[in-house]
Amino acid sequence: MSVFSKVASIALSAAIIATPLVAQDQKALEAAVKARKSQMTLFAFNLGLLGGMAKGQIDYDADKAQAAASGLLALTALDASRMWLPGTDNETMDNTRALPAIWAEGSDIGAKAQAFGEAVGAMDAAAGQGLEALQGAMGGVGGACGSCHKAYRGPRN
Amino acid sequence: MRNVIRGFLGLGLIGAAAGFWITAPRTIDPQTIDGLTGDAARGEQVFWAGGCASCHASPSADSDDMILLTGGKAFATDFGTFYAPNITSDPTHGIGVWRQIDLANAILAGVSPSGKHYYPAFPYTSYARLNAQDVVDLWAFMQILPPSDVASKAHDVSFPFSVRRGLGLWKQLFAHPEPVVRTDLTAEQQRGQYLVEGTGHCGECHSPRNALGGIDYARWLGGAPNPSGKGTIPNITSGALDWSEGDIAEYLSSGFTPEFDSAGGEMAEVVENTARLPQSDRDAIAAYLKAVPPVSNE
C-alpha cells in the first residue's frame, strides 16, 4: 500500500466514522426542536382551558382549573437543556423560530424561564381558588410568555 | 445647429429644474395646526397607538422605561441600516427645541425642521393620515417626557439612497395619505381604519412592497417578507386570518391567539402598545380588519 493510499484510506475511514456521528447530531437537534414544540403545544393546551375560563367562554370549574394549572406546573419541570441545544436556532434550522440571541452572550433566557416558572406557580396556587383568583394570575402568565417571545422568537418562516 | 444645441440645453435645464422642484421637501400648510392646543393626556393615547416607543426607546429598555426615547435601535433593510434617533425633550441631542409645527412637519410630511426629507423607515407615509389635533396632542405629551443626552447615531446608507433629495421623488410615487380602504365603513370601522392605516401604521410591515420600497396597495395587509431578518410578517386580511373580531381584540390586549399561542418579536411590542389603548379602540381595529378586502396567500 502506498503512502498515498494509506492516507486516503485513513481519511476515508475517518469520514465513514464521522458521517454517522454528524447524522446522529442532526437527529438530536431535530428531536430537540420537536420536543420543545410539543412542550409549547401542551402549555397552550392547558392555558387554553384557563384562558377560556378567565374570558368567560368556559364555565369556571375549580377542579378542572386546578388540574390544568398543575399540568402547566408539571411541564415547567421538564429538563430544558436537552430541548434547547446550541445549534437549534432559526439561522441554522428551518423549522424553528428560536432566535440565536437565546444562546448569545448576555442572554437572559434563564431569568426569563425562571420568571415564567414563578408565574405558573402563582397560577397553580390561584386556579382552584375561584374565578377571580384565576383571572388575576392570567396576566402574569401571559406577560411571562410575551416577554420571552418578544426577545427570542422570530416571525414565522 | 446652434439653435438645436441651445434647445437641448434649454430642455435639459427645464428637466433639471423640474427634477429639483419634484424632489424639493414640502412642508405642511401651517394653517393645518393653527389655533390648536395640545392635550398631553390625549397625546399619550396617540403615543401608544403610534408605537413611538417600540422604535425610539433604547434597545435595552424594559417596559418601565419605554417613555425614555433615547433611540439607537438598528433597522437593517435592503437599503442600508437605519438607527432610530433620540427624540427625547433634550434640547441638544433630542427634539426639545422643536415647535409644534416642527413635529407636525415630521409626522405629516416626513420633513425635518431644517427642511430635509426623512427616510421612510420613519413611517410618515402612514402618519400622514393623522388628524392635526392628534399631532398637537402628541407634541404636548412628548414635551413632558424625560430628556436623554445620548447622541443619535447616523444612518448607514450607501449611494444612491444616501442622497436624501431623491426621497422627494419616492414620496411623489409612493406617499399617498388618502384612505386605502374606500368602501362604506361604519363609524367603528372608520375609527379602526384611522388606527390601522394611520397611527398604528400596521401596513408598513403587514403589506408587501415593490422593489423601490413602495407599498403594494393591491395586496394591502396581505403579508410580506420580514423587512429585517428571516421569516414572514403574516397576512392579516380575512383571506388568511379566520379569527373572530373578539379573537383579534383579545390578541391585541393579552397577546394570546385563540389557540393560546402568544405574540412574539416585534408583534409582542405592538401588543404592549395596543394593550394600553381603550377596549373600544381594539374592537375598532378588529372591526376594520374584517372590512379589508381579503388577500389570498400566494
Side-chain angles (χ1 to χ4, degrees):
Chain A
M1 204 182 251
S2 73
V3 172
F4 175 77
S5 58
K6 223 178 221 170
V7 170
S9 94
I10 291 167
L12 191 63
S13 10
I16 289 167
I17 296 164
T19 312
L21 269 182
V22 169
Q24 197 100 40
D25 285 354
Q26 192 57 37
K27 259 189 164 168
L29 299 181
E30 300 281 355
V33 171
K34 209 169 155 186
R36 71 196 189 207
K37 281 187 177 176
S38 306
Q39 185 191 24
M40 294 290 181
T41 306
L42 288 171
F43 278 139
F45 179 68
N46 287 290
L47 214 47
L49 185 76
L50 297 167
M53 287 181 183
K55 282 194 276 178
Q57 292 168 342
I58 301 170
D59 289 337
Y60 177 74
D61 176 314
D63 292 340
K64 286 181 183 164
Q66 186 59 61
S70 302
L72 272 185
L73 192 62
L75 285 166
T76 61
L78 298 184
D79 172 28
S81 64
R82 282 180 59 228
M83 290 190 280
W84 297 91
L85 295 174
T88 57
D89 57 72
N90 75 341
E91 293 287 326
T92 49
M93 297 177 80
D94 287 331
N95 56 348
T96 177
R97 294 163 67 183
L99 296 177
I102 292 172
W103 295 272
E105 188 90 20
S107 165
D108 66 347
I109 190 80
K112 287 199 156 62
Q114 195 180 337
F116 177 64
E118 283 163 13
V120 170
M123 173 59 89
D124 184 53
Q129 308 302 316
L131 181 58
E132 244 171 62
L134 185 158
Q135 285 168 331
M138 202 64 202
V141 177
C145 296
S147 122
C148 202
H149 285 171
K150 179 171 119 179
Y152 297 121
R153 189 189 204 185
R156 220 175 282 277
N157 287 317
Chain B
M1 187 63 200
R2 189 170 286 176
N3 278 341
V4 175
I5 291 172
R6 203 175 279 162
F8 271 117
L9 272 176
L11 279 176
L13 274 176
I14 291 168
F20 193 75
W21 183 78
I22 285 172
T23 60
R26 275 187 189 69
T27 51
I28 63 161
D29 177 351
Q31 281 195 330
T32 316
I33 59 160
D34 239 14
L36 296 180
T37 315
D39 175 313
R42 287 200 63 247
E44 180 172 6
Q45 290 296 303
V46 179
F47 179 81
W48 295 119
C52 312
S54 298
C55 289
H56 287 282
S58 155
S60 58
D62 61 30
S63 42
D64 294 333
D65 22 84
M66 293 305 280
I67 52 166
L68 184 61
L69 307 171
T70 59
K73 192 167 175 177
F75 299 86
T77 73
D78 292 346
F79 309 102
T81 299
F82 299 96
Y83 295 94
N86 179 335
I87 56 165
T88 69
S89 52
D90 185 281
T92 313
H93 298 285
I95 60 171
V97 297
W98 282 24
R99 300 158 300 160
Q100 204 164 263
I101 185 75
D102 294 324
L103 186 70
N105 275 320
I107 286 178
L108 300 174
V111 176
S112 75
S114 61
K116 290 202 171 67
H117 292 299
Y118 285 121
Y119 286 104
F122 173 39
Y124 54 78
T125 42
S126 296
Y127 289 161
R129 300 187 178 101
L130 262 69
N131 66 47
Q133 184 63 52
D134 272 3
V135 175
V136 299
D137 287 344
L138 177 62
W139 184 80
F141 177 65
M142 290 178 74
Q143 293 291 301
I144 59 171
L145 292 182
S148 155
D149 59 3
V150 174
S152 295
K153 208 169 163 184
H155 301 315
D156 183 12
V157 181
S158 52
F159 187 81
F161 305 115
S162 53
V163 183
R164 283 182 187 250
R165 189 81 190 203
L167 288 164
L169 187 60
W170 189 91
K171 284 179 175 176
Q172 293 283 331
L173 292 170
F174 303 122
H176 306 294
E178 56 268 23
V180 182
V181 174
R182 310 280 181 93
T183 49
D184 285 336
L185 300 176
T186 65
E188 186 185 37
Q189 288 166 336
Q190 284 175 30
R191 172 67 184 161
Q193 174 172 45
Y194 181 76
L195 288 166
V196 172
E197 297 184 5
T199 330
H201 60 283
C202 311
E204 302 280 342
C205 287
H206 283 282
S207 300
R209 293 173 183 270
N210 61 28
L212 289 171
I215 286 177
D216 177 2
Y217 288 106
R219 295 184 58 78
W220 177 244
L221 302 182
N226 179 8
S228 41
K230 271 185 83 167
T232 306
I233 311 297
N235 180 343
I236 53 170
T237 71
S238 53
L241 188 71
D242 61 1
W243 298 359
S244 70
E245 289 182 32
D247 291 339
I248 295 170
E250 171 65 26
Y251 178 73
L252 296 174
S253 163
S254 68
F256 282 127
T257 72
E259 294 81 30
F260 278 85
D261 192 352
S262 91
E266 259 126 40
M267 196 59 203
E269 299 183 36
V270 173
V271 170
E272 285 178 357
N273 297 326
T274 54
R276 301 183 198 245
L277 299 181
Q279 182 62 35
S280 57
D281 276 352
R282 289 187 290 271
D283 291 341
I285 291 170
Y288 163 79
L289 287 179
K290 289 292 174 188
V292 172
V295 175
S296 57
N297 280 338
E298 281 168 329

